[in-house]
């Protein structure tokens, strides 16, 4: 396992993160404590230090398990959790990005995790109700109080994150150093605005559902089962495009003697900016297979082939601005001889 700085910070995190949405069987579908501990220990033995959870994962049980697993060596782990999602649907203030829910959710997570501080605290989903300045000021207050060390943001439009970090810089508040987005060979829409925005602001990228909810392993490519439904997959993903992507992944995997999951994970790891895949295993066998992606790299030819089969339409204004006619209008005779770094 290698390590990298997370965005514009000095924080060293492992190149693969451990997602723990599957930790806990309280809701009847996740891994029990024994299996969760095996997954955790396998990841840690491989050198992993980046643990990702959230308040609502398995109704709080995920945080409880993590708190128990890290207790003896708390300082060595980079623990991240999230707020926004409601733990009490009957309370109008039980969810959202506002100050009341942020403070209450943070305190509850600290208790479940049995820790005094969170290394990285994520805003889980933008609620389109809370003012940006309220969010950034409240997060900064919690950092100054010592309850949080760094802050990140998930599942939020690029223009809102840009506004938030610009405001934080102008007012001397802490800014987001991490961005969590769905990103995989079958879901590349983050490349339109979110990933370029992250590069411009030097925000570290983490990728949830890096295996497309099982599509890129082959598990859910041809059989739509109950597990697929529980992981929020739907039949709309079983498209000709996604089947073509999976077949390409499978062919490369067979050629090099690896598994489709390992190929899909390495495609992410080898993208610009080195996004960090969040591994979401339910068994020890799955996490071992995922970790074996660290033993090799794809060739540029293989990367190009995967890029081609999974490419998306970037849409307006990106494709308009990349046309030769517009580039000539902007740069005249120098359109093709100006070096851009």
């Amino acid at each position: 396992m290698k390590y990298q700085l997370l965005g514009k910070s000095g924080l060293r995190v492992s190149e693969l993160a451990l997602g723990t949405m599957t930790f806990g069987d309280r809701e009847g579908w996740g891994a029990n404590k024994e299996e969760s501990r095996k997954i955790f220990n396998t990841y840690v033995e491989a050198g992993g230090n980046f643990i990702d959870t959230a308040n609502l994962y398995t109704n709080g049980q995920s945080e409880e398990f993590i708190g128990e697993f890290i207790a003896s060596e708390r300082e060595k782990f980079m623990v991240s959790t999230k707020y926004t999602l409601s733990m009490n649907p009957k309370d109008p203030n039980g969810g959202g990005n506002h100050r009341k829910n942020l403070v209450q959710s943070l305190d509850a997570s600290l208790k479940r995790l049995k820790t005094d501080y969170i290394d990285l605290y994520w805003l889980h989903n933008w609620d389109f109700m809370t003012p940006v300045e309220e969010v950034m000021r409240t997060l900064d207050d919690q950092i100054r109080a010592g309850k949080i060390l760094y802050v990140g943001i998930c599942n939020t439009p690029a223009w809102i994150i840009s506004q938030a970090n610009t405001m934080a810089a102008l007012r001397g508040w802490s800014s987001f150093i991490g961005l969590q987005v769905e990103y995989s060979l079958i879901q590349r829409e983050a490349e339109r605005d979110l990933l370029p925005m992250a590069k411009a602001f030097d925000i570290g990228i983490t990728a949830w559902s890096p295996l497309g909810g099982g599509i890129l392993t082959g598990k859910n490519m041809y059989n739509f089962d109950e597990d697929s439904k529980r992981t929020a997959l739907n039949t709309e993903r079983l498209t000709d495009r996604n089947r073509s992507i999976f077949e390409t992944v499978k062919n490369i995997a067979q050629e090099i003697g690896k598994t489709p999951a390992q190929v899909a994970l390495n495609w992410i790891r080898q993208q610009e900016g080195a996004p960090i895949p969040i591994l979401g295993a339910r068994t020890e066998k799955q996490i071992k297979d995922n970790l074996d992606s660290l033993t090799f790299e794809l060739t540029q030819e293989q990367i190009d082939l995967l890029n081609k089969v999974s490419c998306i339409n970037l849409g307006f204004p990106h494709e308009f601005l990349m046309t030769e006619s517009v580039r000539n209008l902007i740069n005249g005779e120098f359109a093709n001889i100006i070096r851009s770094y």
Side-chain angles (χ1 to χ4, degrees):
M1 187 82 72
K2 295 180 182 178
Y3 304 86
Q4 60 194 64
L5 297 180
L6 187 62
K8 196 175 182 179
S9 78
L11 189 64
R12 288 84 157 173
V13 297
S14 49
E15 58 188 323
L16 293 173
L18 178 63
T20 62
M21 187 173 71
T22 58
F23 279 24
D25 53 4
R26 183 173 289 163
E27 297 183 329
W29 62 270
N32 61 29
K33 182 181 289 188
E34 181 182 2
E35 192 68 20
S36 296
R37 186 181 287 276
K38 288 179 181 179
I39 295 169
F40 177 85
N41 288 343
T42 299
Y43 172 76
V44 173
E45 288 167 5
N49 73 343
F50 192 177
I51 314 298
D52 183 83
T53 186
N55 63 337
L56 195 62
Y57 289 171
T58 55
N59 198 28
Q61 198 171 26
S62 173
E63 288 186 326
E64 293 170 7
F65 283 6
I66 293 302
E68 181 177 332
F69 298 165
I70 67 172
S72 62
E73 296 182 288
R74 168 66 185 94
E75 291 77 14
K76 70 176 285 187
F77 295 109
M78 214 298 293
V79 178
S80 68
T81 191
K82 310 176 187 75
Y83 91 102
T84 298
L85 305 184
S86 177
M87 297 291 285
N88 183 6
K90 295 185 178 181
D91 178 1
N93 288 307
N97 303 145
H98 54 85
R99 187 186 306 268
K100 180 175 174 63
N101 186 49
L102 193 160
V103 173
Q104 291 178 167
S105 296
L106 175 58
D107 287 345
S109 288
L110 289 169
K111 290 178 182 178
R112 285 189 290 268
L113 287 162
K114 298 181 178 65
T115 185
D116 296 327
Y117 67 95
I118 304 297
D119 296 281
L120 175 59
Y121 200 50
W122 299 97
L123 182 151
H124 205 158
N125 296 278
W126 192 251
D127 67 6
F128 292 98
M129 296 182 183
T130 308
V132 172
E133 55 268 32
E134 179 176 333
V135 170
M136 301 310 290
R137 174 57 194 269
T138 307
L139 288 170
D140 188 69
D141 286 344
Q142 301 310 304
I143 289 176
R144 293 173 189 267
K147 295 182 178 181
I148 303 170
L149 301 187
Y150 299 94
V151 291
I153 190 165
C154 320
N155 311 324
T156 299
W159 66 267
I160 291 175
I161 303 171
S162 300
Q163 180 187 12
N165 269 18
T166 300
M167 179 182 296
L170 290 172
R171 298 190 179 181
W173 299 337
S174 300
S175 59
F176 294 122
I177 63 150
L179 170 67
Q180 192 168 133
V181 295
E182 182 179 9
Y183 189 50
S184 71
L185 277 163
I186 68 168
Q187 176 52 276
R188 295 178 59 182
E189 293 180 3
E191 294 177 4
R192 291 189 176 121
D193 292 298
L194 283 162
L195 300 194
M197 178 274 303
K199 179 180 179 181
F201 282 90
D202 198 4
I203 300 174
I205 303 162
T206 60
W208 62 265
S209 198
L211 301 178
I215 293 288
L216 295 169
T217 68
K219 174 185 175 183
N220 297 325
M221 187 68 261
Y222 302 102
N223 298 308
F224 184 55
D225 56 19
E226 290 302 312
D227 285 343
S228 303
K229 296 174 185 177
R230 276 194 290 266
T231 55
L233 273 177
N234 54 59
T235 52
E236 292 179 0
R237 290 199 174 186
L238 301 181
T239 63
D240 290 340
R241 172 184 179 271
N242 289 348
R243 288 189 177 91
S244 178
I245 293 170
F246 171 68
E247 288 298 326
T248 304
V249 170
K250 184 177 71 172
N251 290 340
I252 291 174
Q254 291 174 342
E255 289 172 6
I256 61 178
K258 304 297 181 180
T259 66
Q262 293 164 7
V263 171
L265 289 171
N266 276 2
W267 176 83
I268 294 176
R269 292 177 55 235
Q270 292 177 238
Q271 294 302 298
E272 182 181 5
I276 298 173
I278 301 173
L279 310 179
R282 287 182 60 189
T283 66
E284 182 182 16
K285 180 180 179 181
Q286 289 174 347
I287 193 68
K288 285 181 176 179
D289 180 80
N290 290 174
L291 289 169
D292 281 344
S293 65
L294 298 174
T295 63
F296 72 100
E297 288 190 351
L298 299 171
T299 66
Q300 188 59 52
E301 182 180 4
Q302 291 163 345
I303 291 287
D304 291 343
L305 181 59
L306 291 168
N307 285 342
K308 182 178 180 180
V309 74
S310 65
C311 67
I312 61 169
N313 185 331
L314 292 178
F316 182 86
H318 308 290
E319 296 196 352
F320 168 76
L321 294 172
M322 289 189 292
T323 60
E324 184 176 359
S325 59
V326 172
R327 289 171 55 241
N328 288 338
L329 287 171
I330 295 171
N331 299 302
E333 297 178 0
F334 299 89
N336 296 316
I337 58 174
I338 297 176
R339 182 177 295 172
S340 176
Y341 293 96

